[in-house]
Each structure stands twice: as structure tokens, then as C-alpha cells.
Amino acid sequence: MSVVVLFIIVFIGTFGNSIVILIILLHRDMRTVTNYFVLNLAITDIAMLIICDMPTGIVLAKNTPSWPLGDLMCRLIGYTMNVTVQATCLTLTAMTIDRYFLIVHAVRSRNTRTTRRAALFNIGIWLFSVVVHVPVLVFNKTEESESGNLECDRNFGWNHGNLIYYLFIVLAMYVVPLSIIMFCYIQILYQVWHKTSAGTESAQANARSLRRKKKITRMVFIVVFLFALCWAPMHTINLWLYSDSDHYNNHVKSEVYTLCLGLAYANSCVNPFVYAFTTTSFKKYFKKFFWPCWRGKARENISVSISMKTKSERLTASQGKEDSSI
């Protein structure tokens, strides 16, 4: 994968996720339970892009068989990647569980779903991720290979240590979270398509609420699906590497590994596009942010458009009494 492509991923992902963070922080109506988890995802994506993706691009740009960034960066990049991916997995799982309780246990969730609890969950997610992957920070190191080049790798000092730890990583970062997510979505689909919501609201209000829940649930599902799709090749290749390292280099070129790594990094820049195209609230604020670019007009033309809109609103207001009787 080209170094230019990696840096494009860094730029688009950092820019897009920064907009997502600003939208949530600057607009009170966007500070919902779901969007608190979205905020956490955006933070994990930016951390992944800046601390992991950018140094990878630097390594590829140097085009040298030796690790050029030193022992500290070897430990830091590996540790940060594991922490941020773990935090991403747990956040996606929390988002799905939140959807599950909102739809399947709607009455019970009214008193338990709060932004404060969502914020505490996010803090807990980061604390768990930081602690559970300390072994990466300890055992990642640079070592001289037989050819005399420095290699950045994890070495536990005992047979099959890397394989056992990576099996733990796959379970903690992929298999277990996705299994929980699949269970929740099966329950959600059953509730949405085979049951009706009970309550005192009108049928029309229930229908609007259900449509909104479906939209947000679809958004969460797409984010989870893209994560599973983008990280599957990386986990597959790493499992092959750690279980059959003697034959790995003879069958898989470094370009293939780099491509899988790039696909995993690309996952960190796609989420803003999902939010922009699948949810009405984010779409509205993204349009406001990019409105001058989309219009392609000078500032005075925008002022004219706003002025015309104000006049139209005044005309509509003057006809309010007539309209209200229709």
C-alpha cells in the first residue's frame, strides 16, 4: 500500500472524526446516550490514526528492512494499537447492548439510560483497555535479527507465548464482542419485526419512535459490520504468522500484510461517513459545516439566500391563522 494512501487515510479520518466530536460537544441536542458512545469511537479512531497509522507510513516511507523508530516507539505503537482496538470493540459492544435495552426492554431502560452512565461506561472501557494490554508495553521490543536488522516484535521468552497471547487478543477484540453483538441484534430483530411496543402513546407517535430507533440501530449495525469486515483479514494473517511462522514469509508477501494493515487502519476513517449518510441529526450538522463548500458561492450570496428565507418565514407567519384552520 502506498505511503500516500496511508497519509490520506490519516487526514480524512482525523478530520472527519474531529468534526463528529465538535458536533456532539457544541450542540446540546446531540448529547445523547448513543452519541456519547459515538464520541468515544471518534476518540479511539483519532488515537489509532495519529499514533499507529502515521508512524507506519513513516516506516514505509523509509523503505528499510530495519525498524527505524527505536525501542520506545516499538512499544508505544504496539500498545496503543491494542488499547484503541480494544476500546473500539468494547464501545461497539456497549452501543449494541444499549440498542438492545432501548428496544427489547424499552420500559426498563427509561430510568437506566442516562448520559452520565454512558460517560462512566466510556471511562471504564478505557481503564480496562489500558490495563489488560500492559503485557504488550512490557514485552514489545526491538531485537537484532540474524541478518543484522532491527525488528520490532513481541517476545515473551517462552514457546508459543506470542500465539497464546494473540489468541487472547482475537477473543477479546473480535470473537467475544461480535458474538455478544450478534446475540443482541437477533433479539432486536425479533422485537422489531415480531412484537409491538406497549405504551400510552398514540399509534402515530409509536410509529415515529420506531422509525427513529430503526435508523439508529441500522447506523450501529453498519459501524459494527465495517469493523468486522476491515479487521478480519488482519486477524487471519496474524494468526497464520504466529501459528506457522516458518512458512509465512514463503507464501505471503509483505505487500499483502501491508494491505491488510491499511484496511484495518481505514476502518478508523469510515465511521464519520456512516453517521453523515445514515442518521438525520448528524446529516443536518454535517451539511451546516460544509454548507459554504457545497453551495460554492461567495459569502454575500449566502447572505442573500438567508435574507430571502427570512422574508419567506415572515410571509408564512402572517398566514399562520389561515393555515392553522386547515
Side-chain angles (χ1 to χ4, degrees), residues 89-106:
C89 291
L90 294 178
T91 305
L92 291 174
T93 306
M95 288 174 69
T96 308
I97 294 174
D98 173 66
R99 292 287 94 198
Y100 165 78
F101 277 104
L102 179 62
I103 295 176
V104 179
H105 303 286

Side-chain angles (χ1 to χ4, degrees), residues 54-287:
M54 190 176 292
T56 300
I58 295 173
V59 172
L60 293 176
K62 289 184 176 293
N63 194 26
T64 174
S66 289
W67 175 257
L69 300 180
D71 187 71
L72 178 62
M73 289 301 295
C74 173
R75 296 172 187 269
L76 184 62
I77 291 173
Y79 178 64
T80 304
M81 177 181 289
N82 282 272
V83 169
T84 53
V85 176
Q86 184 70 71
T88 299
C89 291
L90 294 178
T91 305
L92 291 174
T93 306
M95 288 174 69
T96 308
I97 294 174
D98 173 66
R99 292 287 94 198
Y100 165 78
F101 277 104
L102 179 62
I103 295 176
V104 179
H105 303 286
V107 177
R108 189 193 309 174
S109 67
R110 289 176 184 175
N111 297 324
T112 58
R113 291 183 73 252
T114 64
T115 53
R116 182 175 179 274
R117 289 193 177 187
L120 290 175
F121 268 114
N122 287 336
I123 293 172
I125 284 170
W126 278 105
L127 289 176
F128 176 82
S129 302
V130 165
V131 171
V132 77
H133 293 289
V134 167
V136 179
L137 191 62
V138 175
F139 293 102
N140 261 36
K141 60 184 70 175
T142 54
E143 294 181 338
E144 187 173 339
S145 64
E146 295 179 357
S147 59
N149 298 317
L150 282 178
E151 294 181 350
C152 175
D153 201 0
R154 190 160 47 247
N155 186 359
F156 288 95
W158 47 283
N159 292 335
H160 306 300
N162 286 344
L163 176 60
I164 292 173
Y165 188 77
Y166 197 78
L167 286 173
F168 162 75
I169 287 177
V170 172
L171 288 173
M173 295 185 182
Y174 201 78
V175 177
V176 173
L178 289 182
S179 298
I180 296 172
I181 289 168
M182 286 177 61
F183 170 80
C184 290
Y185 266 103
I186 290 172
Q187 299 298 315
I188 289 171
L189 290 173
Y190 178 77
Q191 178 72 20
V192 169
W193 297 111
H194 296 281
K195 289 187 177 183
T196 56
S197 299
T200 58
E201 295 179 301
S202 66
Q204 191 174 17
N206 274 332
R208 285 196 303 268
S209 177
L210 186 60
R211 281 198 299 270
R212 185 173 181 276
K213 289 177 183 178
K214 284 182 179 179
K215 281 186 177 180
I216 298 176
T217 302
R218 181 182 62 181
M219 180 268 289
V220 176
F221 174 79
I222 293 173
V223 171
V224 171
F225 174 77
L226 289 174
F227 172 83
L229 183 67
C230 290
W231 278 94
M234 191 69 204
H235 286 308
T236 303
I237 284 234
N238 277 332
L239 281 175
W240 186 6
L241 168 64
Y242 290 123
S243 61
D244 191 20
S245 58
D246 293 337
H247 300 91
Y248 173 82
N249 291 327
N250 295 328
H251 293 83
V252 180
K253 294 182 179 180
S254 61
E255 289 82 1
V256 177
Y257 184 88
T258 306
L259 180 63
C260 293
L261 189 63
L263 183 63
Y265 287 147
N267 180 245
S268 297
C269 76
V270 297
N271 289 340
F273 295 97
V274 176
Y275 309 144
F277 288 105
T278 61
T279 59
T280 304
S281 56
F282 272 107
K283 187 184 298 184
K284 176 180 69 175
Y285 287 114
F286 268 102
K287 282 184 177 179

